[in-house]
Amino acid sequence: MRAGKMAPAGGGGAVRGLWALLAALVCARAVAALTEQYPTLSLLKQRQGPAGGCASAGEWAEQYSAESDSSFLHFHESDCDIGGSSSCESVLSLNTEKILSQGKLLAEQKRFPFATDNDNTNEELAIAYVLIGNGLYDEAIRHFSTMLQEEPELVSAIYGRGIAYGKKGLHDMKNAELALFELSRVISLEPDHPEVFEQRAEILSPLGRISEALSDLTKAIQLQPSARLYRHRGTLYFISEDYATAHEDFQRSLELNRNQPIAMLYKGLTFFHRGLLKEAIESFKEALKQKADFIDAYKSLGQAYRELGNFDAATENFQKALLLNQNHVQTLQLKGMMLYHHGSLDEALKNFKRCLQLEPYNEVCQYMKGLSHVAMGQFYEGIKAQTKVMLNDPLPGQKATPEYLKVKYLREYSRYLHAHLDTPLTEYNIDIDLPGNFKDHWAKNLPFLIENYEEQPGLQPHIKDVLFQNFETYKPDVQELICAADHLGSMMQYETPGFLPNKRIHRAMGLATLEVMQAVQRTWANSKVRMNGKTRLMQWRDMFDIAVKWRRIADPDQPVLWLDQMPARSLSRGFNNHINLIRGQVINMRYLEYFEKILHFIKDRILVYHGANNPKGLLEVREALEKVHKVEDLLPIMKFNSKTRDGFTVNTKVPSLKDQGKEYDGFTITITGDKVGNILFSVETQTTEERTQLYHAEIDALYKDLTAKGKILILSAELGEVDAVCNLILSLVYYFYNLMPLSRGSSVIAYSVIMGALMASGKEVSGKIPKGKLVDFEAMTAPGSEAFSKIARSWMNLKSISPSYKSLPSVSETFPTLRTMIEVLNTDSSHCLKKTIVVV
């Protein structure tokens, strides 16, 4: 078939068919007044390898779009009318000529898959491939089908038709099935072409048939390995959360072709998801060396630094991504979330608003916008944003997003907070006021399906939102109070990956520390406190409740609730505080410092277990354990016993001070594994009613003793008394940590109580928590309260309290309501850096 000047009556059957198809297509679209543009694709470039293989359809599309230098004309209503004018014919002729000329050149150079020895057949095949390249999939399918009627086993036409079905859209399962059917036919006819297996994998993977797609890519690699195939397979392993195998494939891909910024980025992401943040950062930087304007690499680098807790480096890299594209929604979202968790709510809000301008239905940005407003006391805007998230009901069979699951709890909590903005904090109690089932479901992050739930009253117009309060408007002594709180709060920061400094939390917990100090001093001086509408002597729970109220309001997203105030049914079943240390290949970097300590503990318990249950095999187990240097290697050891083949649990014990020789349940360590070597290494505390009562009795006894010794200390500041009081404070909090009585925030709440109570005794913490250390895990892994006290005191560097603390105003009187608390948390603290902080 020769392509000369086009005329309706000229050429072979395929060309006549093409003319008719294009005529119908052009005039139908003109009638509909569509103005679609079809980018032409440059010639299909076949990557010839040793076996004559060619690139996948995905790569052709990349090459076409990158090399395209022209486009089809726009079709406007004026271009042709229903009857078909000369202008319609001229447009049609021009576009048909373009397709035919591209097809002719493509055919001459045989730059399409499975070219034949017949020139006419090749030209007809090439035309159909050009139609695919121009997005005219139905026309391409009809063109291939016409050819297959004459020659049913024409491999290139079967392959092309399969590609066209896939390109039509896999959201229609019929297209997917037809695409897979055609590609499977090609494989049966030509089983040694890697590109066909790769193309079939490209259809299978978006359908969720990942294992089949991986099998196809493995076959393609066996036939003819390439950097692209390793990268493709690595991506699927990555999606499957097999990050170690994905890393191997990206590494192989990069060995074959070093200059692949995308493969380098994904290599970095395999590190990132395994908690290997420093290695991830190096890979992201390498990707940026290869592609200086790589937005995703800057974004990923920002997120890695955020996980390391390096706020400045994270900000710098998010900013670089936004300089390249100020409308990059994912970067705006991630930067906004980082700013929120840094306590910079105003700045966070700007990012969420910009995100929503670009993507009005972005559920994460919408939720975070509502949360930011509520945290700052702007309830009207906050609830408006929350309601928009609530309208995004999941489609049938679709999984609800975390934001959708949380938003109704946040809205109800927001309404409650707004109603109590101006009520004295001493007159109400969230743990008592909020319905039990609501609290239970909220803490467990369950769907909001609560029977007979009565919604909180809507916003009341007479209660106004919280207004911004300038630092300068506070009296000088209150300014000193705020600056002292900022300093104390910063002493609680964990220098561990995963803990981003949060200046809002710092201030809240610094104020909590000062309020605890003042309340404990009053108690030791026999003064009563007002709590929950009653005036009485302070109990240990009241001391912790001071810190709880500040932690709650600093971040209303997190339910900080007393577990023993949950419904009896929930508590009788046990309320689990669960932490995954290793899940599959994902390592929780926050707790890495404690892996070896826990490993030694597990080894000891295994030996005790075998000593009691398998004394004959004890020597063999002991020898095997000596070779174990990481948790992952423990499972094979436990397979000596059939009962522990799939995994095992080990329980810690907490010795009592009150009843010598008695022990309480600590936390449970669980290790399980599957056939492919993925493990789950986790710890959890199960807070049952019985366990809670035992711990409460211990804490009650310690608090009683602390109060008695505190009263003596007020009268005589002898060194021995101070030391005894210090040990009692640390012992009391040791049991609090092991009990884990709160749904969230136990660690920082307890540490602020330690610092505040020590200040009441005349001692100030001047040392920071060591790098990698977590106070709650120090308590949970210590063999007893004395050991914990010794460890804590080693870094606290206790010194005599600065006299200036005594002159600070009362925290509870200065900030007596929720409104005043939110105001002080919103206030800019940069002035404190310019002042001489009273505590230094």
Side-chain angles (χ1 to χ4, degrees):
M1 180 181 71
R2 286 185 172 275
K5 282 278 186 183
M6 272 303 302
V15 175
R16 284 197 296 275
L18 172 64
W19 178 268
L21 290 171
L22 287 177
L25 179 72
V26 170
C27 288
R29 286 180 174 165
V31 169
L34 293 176
T35 58
E36 292 182 90
Q37 181 181 7
Y38 296 97
T40 55
L41 301 167
S42 297
L43 296 175
L44 289 161
K45 282 198 174 178
Q46 183 175 4
R47 281 204 178 174
Q48 295 291 351
C54 56
S56 73
E59 182 150 323
W60 296 330
E62 287 174 21
Q63 290 169 346
Y64 284 5
S65 57
E67 297 169 14
S68 174
D69 59 359
S70 59
S71 60
F72 280 118
L73 299 176
H74 286 171
F75 297 119
H76 296 281
E77 192 168 2
S78 58
D79 286 336
C80 66
D81 57 25
I82 294 173
S85 65
S86 60
S87 95
C88 179
E89 289 172 8
S90 79
V91 170
L92 179 59
S93 175
L94 192 62
N95 286 285
T96 306
E97 279 193 39
K98 192 178 284 281
I99 287 175
L100 289 172
S101 67
Q102 289 181 355
K104 185 169 186 283
L105 189 54
L106 195 69
E108 286 173 357
Q109 298 181 8
K110 291 189 176 182
R111 288 189 177 179
F112 62 90
F114 300 105
T116 70
D117 295 330
N118 186 300
D119 291 344
N120 286 347
T121 301
N122 284 343
E123 196 161 338
E124 291 185 17
L125 286 167
I127 287 167
Y129 278 105
V130 171
L131 287 170
I132 291 175
N134 284 276
L136 303 172
Y137 307 127
D138 285 324
E139 291 75 7
I141 288 166
R142 285 194 280 272
H143 199 80
F144 283 128
S145 297
T146 301
M147 298 184 74
L148 286 165
Q149 284 174 358
E150 297 176 10
E151 195 174 343
E153 293 194 347
L154 184 58
V155 175
S156 186
I158 300 170
Y159 186 51
R161 191 163 67 176
I163 292 168
Y165 278 127
K167 293 279 186 185
K168 273 184 75 174
L170 302 183
H171 55 274
D172 184 338
M173 189 53 70
K174 187 178 177 184
N175 290 337
E177 288 170 356
L178 288 166
L180 291 172
F181 176 74
E182 300 290 29
L183 293 170
S184 298
R185 282 180 68 202
V186 174
I187 288 169
S188 66
L189 294 166
E190 296 281 350
D192 296 327
H193 287 263
E195 69 274 10
V196 189
F197 287 99
E198 184 180 13
Q199 186 61 49
R200 190 166 70 175
E202 286 188 3
I203 304 292
L204 288 164
S205 53
L207 299 175
R209 295 163 67 176
I210 303 295
S211 60
E212 294 171 76
L214 283 168
S215 177
D216 273 358
L217 288 170
T218 300
K219 180 64 178 174
I221 288 169
Q222 289 167 352
L223 289 167
Q224 187 180 328
S226 71
R228 186 187 69 253
L229 284 170
Y230 278 120
R231 188 183 71 221
H232 191 166
R233 190 175 70 174
T235 305
L236 292 191
Y237 278 124
F238 183 88
I239 290 167
S240 307
E241 296 187 3
D242 187 350
Y243 301 119
T245 309
H247 174 266
E248 289 173 13
D249 271 0
F250 292 129
Q251 188 59 39
R252 288 194 191 105
S253 180
L254 288 161
E255 285 165 5
L256 292 170
N257 177 7
R258 184 69 186 166
N259 190 29
Q260 290 188 86
I262 289 176
M264 188 60 75
L265 171 74
Y266 269 93
K267 178 185 169 184
L269 289 171
T270 64
F271 284 129
F272 180 89
H273 284 279
R274 285 181 288 164
L276 305 171
L277 298 175
K278 290 177 182 175
E279 292 85 345
I281 286 168
E282 289 307 310
S283 294
F284 298 147
K285 285 180 176 177
E286 188 61 37
L288 285 164
K289 285 180 188 174
Q290 296 181 13
K291 182 174 164 52
D293 60 348
F294 198 178
I295 291 175
D296 282 333
Y298 277 122
K299 177 201 73 183
S300 300
L301 198 51
Q303 193 65 357
Y305 278 122
R306 180 232 187 276
E307 286 300 314
L308 270 180
N310 189 334
F311 176 77
D312 291 336
T315 302
E316 180 187 344
N317 284 284
F318 284 140
Q319 204 52 43
K320 284 178 179 176
L322 291 171
L323 283 172
L324 291 167
N325 178 5
Q326 62 179 347
N327 297 332
H328 197 253
V329 170
Q330 203 175 8
T331 302
L332 287 165
Q333 179 181 309
L334 289 172
K335 186 185 174 192
M337 291 180 76
M338 180 190 71
L339 286 164
Y340 177 88
H341 292 292
H342 181 248
S344 306
L345 272 52
D346 239 349
E347 289 300 309
L349 201 48
K350 290 173 188 173
N351 284 270
F352 298 135
K353 286 178 177 177
R354 179 69 184 142
C355 167
L356 290 166
Q357 285 173 354
L358 299 165
E359 266 187 22
Y361 298 103
N362 186 306
E363 207 163 304
V364 175
C365 288
Q366 191 69 258
Y367 178 86
M368 292 304 299
K369 178 189 172 189
L371 176 61
S372 301
H373 276 303
V374 165
M376 290 192 290
Q378 299 162 1
F379 291 92
Y380 288 90
E381 283 298 319
I383 289 177
K384 192 193 299 180
Q386 293 163 19
T387 304
K388 288 181 181 177
V389 177
M390 287 173 63
L391 296 174
N392 293 338
D393 291 315
L395 297 170
Q398 187 182 30
K399 191 178 178 183
T401 64
E403 289 71 32
Y404 183 83
L405 284 173
K406 291 193 296 182
V407 71
K408 194 156 187 183
Y409 297 106
L410 180 61
R411 189 183 72 160
E412 291 301 289
Y413 185 45
S414 301
R415 287 171 164 179
Y416 176 86
L417 292 177
H418 183 263
H420 291 84
L421 262 179
D422 300 305
T423 308
L425 289 154
T426 54
E427 303 302 313
Y428 65 96
N429 185 322
I430 288 172
D431 285 286
I432 294 170
D433 294 347
L434 292 176
N437 285 341
F438 174 90
K439 293 187 299 176
D440 183 57
H441 282 59
W442 187 21
K444 292 175 179 173
N445 201 28
L446 299 173
F448 196 101
L449 301 170
I450 304 170
E451 289 182 17
N452 304 319
Y453 176 76
E454 190 175 327
E455 288 190 349
Q456 296 288 324
L459 299 188
Q460 299 159 47
H462 70 279
I463 302 175
K464 303 302 179 189
D465 273 350
V466 176
L467 299 176
F468 181 75
Q469 185 94 343
N470 279 318
F471 183 80
E472 293 84 353
T473 61
Y474 287 110
K475 292 177 181 178
D477 60 344
V478 177
Q479 292 181 18
E480 295 291 347
L481 181 68
I482 295 168
C483 292
D486 285 356
H487 168 73
L488 291 168
S490 70
M491 302 292 288
M492 303 180 204
Q493 179 62 40
Y494 284 151
E495 299 294 331
T496 302
F499 291 95
L500 188 73
N502 187 324
K503 57 187 183 181
R504 192 177 179 89
I505 298 281
H506 287 172
R507 178 170 298 173
M509 302 323 293
L511 287 165
T513 297
L514 291 168
E515 190 174 345
V516 167
M517 174 192 78
Q518 293 167 348
V520 171
Q521 282 175 337
R522 288 196 303 272
T523 300
W524 289 350
N526 279 325
S527 294
K528 294 183 178 179
V529 295
R530 187 163 178 82
M531 302 291 287
N532 307 328
K534 295 176 182 177
T535 303
R536 52 176 170 75
L537 288 171
M538 187 170 74
Q539 301 302 310
W540 69 263
R541 189 193 288 261
D542 301 324
M543 183 169 62
F544 284 92
D545 252 332
I546 291 167
V548 166
K549 74 174 181 184
W550 283 104
R551 179 62 183 80
R552 273 177 182 153
I553 204 57
D555 184 4
D557 188 41
Q558 298 179 349
V560 183
L561 301 162
W562 288 97
L563 298 183
D564 67 339
Q565 299 294 312
M566 294 291 179
R569 184 182 59 179
S570 171
L571 195 59
S572 65
R573 293 176 183 169
F575 197 106
N576 294 355
N577 272 305
H578 185 94
I579 300 168
N580 285 331
L581 303 180
I582 301 176
R583 184 181 64 82
Q585 296 171 16
V586 182
I587 299 170
N588 192 332
M589 292 298 289
R590 290 184 169 196
Y591 305 97
L592 197 57
E593 179 88 8
Y594 294 92
F595 281 21
E596 190 174 345
K597 196 172 185 180
I598 294 173
L599 178 60
H600 284 305
F601 174 78
I602 295 170
K603 284 182 176 182
D604 289 342
R605 299 307 299 173
I606 290 174
L607 289 173
V608 170
Y609 172 85
H610 279 278
N613 297 284
N614 180 27
K616 290 181 181 178
L618 184 59
L619 181 62
E620 186 183 359
V621 172
R622 191 186 298 277
E623 288 173 353
L625 282 173
E626 285 172 2
K627 297 173 186 174
V628 171
H629 302 293
K630 56 181 192 278
V631 173
E632 295 92 314
D633 298 334
L634 279 171
L635 278 174
I637 306 298
M638 292 306 289
K639 289 179 182 177
F640 285 121
N641 187 317
S642 60
K643 293 179 181 177
T644 60
R645 190 153 290 157
D646 298 322
F648 61 95
T649 61
V650 178
N651 297 305
T652 65
K653 294 294 180 182
V654 176
S656 169
L657 279 176
K658 183 170 70 72
D659 301 313
Q660 291 298 318
K662 191 174 180 181
E663 291 182 326
Y664 308 131
D665 289 334
F667 64 93
T668 301
I669 304 162
T670 301
I671 302 179
T672 59
D674 58 24
K675 290 177 183 176
V676 294
N678 286 324
I679 75 159
L680 177 66
F681 172 36
S682 63
V683 298
E684 69 177 20
T685 54
Q686 191 163 16
T687 308
T688 60
E689 190 171 6
E690 182 186 358
R691 181 176 179 273
T692 300
Q693 287 173 358
L694 290 170
Y695 273 88
H696 279 193
E698 191 78 28
I699 296 171
D700 282 336
L702 283 165
Y703 183 76
K704 187 178 178 181
D705 200 6
L706 173 63
T707 305
K709 283 194 167 49
K711 288 178 178 180
I712 295 168
L713 186 63
I714 291 286
L715 300 172
S716 89
E718 287 185 23
L719 192 61
E721 294 294 343
V722 175
D723 209 46
V725 165
C726 177
N727 285 332
L728 282 168
I729 291 166
L730 290 168
S731 294
L732 187 151
V733 176
Y734 165 79
Y735 289 102
F736 181 91
Y737 276 128
N738 277 285
L739 172 59
M740 280 288 166
L742 296 165
S743 58
R744 294 293 292 270
S746 292
S747 186
V748 73
I749 284 165
Y751 203 61
S752 64
V753 168
I754 289 174
M755 289 178 66
L758 285 171
M759 288 170 76
S761 76
K763 291 293 179 183
E764 178 187 348
V765 174
S766 65
K768 288 205 167 188
I769 301 163
K771 194 171 185 178
K773 298 287 186 184
L774 308 176
V775 188
D776 52 349
F777 258 60
E778 286 298 323
M780 290 162 66
T781 56
S785 61
E786 286 182 17
F788 170 66
S789 297
K790 189 176 179 181
I791 293 164
R793 291 181 72 156
S794 70
W795 79 66
M796 284 180 170
N797 192 20
L798 295 177
K799 65 178 185 181
S800 294
I801 190 170
S802 168
S804 53
Y805 281 118
K806 294 178 183 177
S807 61
L808 293 175
S810 163
V811 176
S812 60
E813 290 173 12
T814 307
F815 310 112
T817 63
L818 199 55
R819 182 185 298 278
T820 53
M821 287 174 70
I822 295 172
E823 282 173 352
V824 73
L825 294 183
N826 289 347
T827 301
D828 177 31
S829 63
S830 57
H831 301 272
C832 293
L833 301 174
K834 300 168 189 173
K835 297 163 72 85
T836 303
I837 299 177
V838 294
V839 295
V840 175

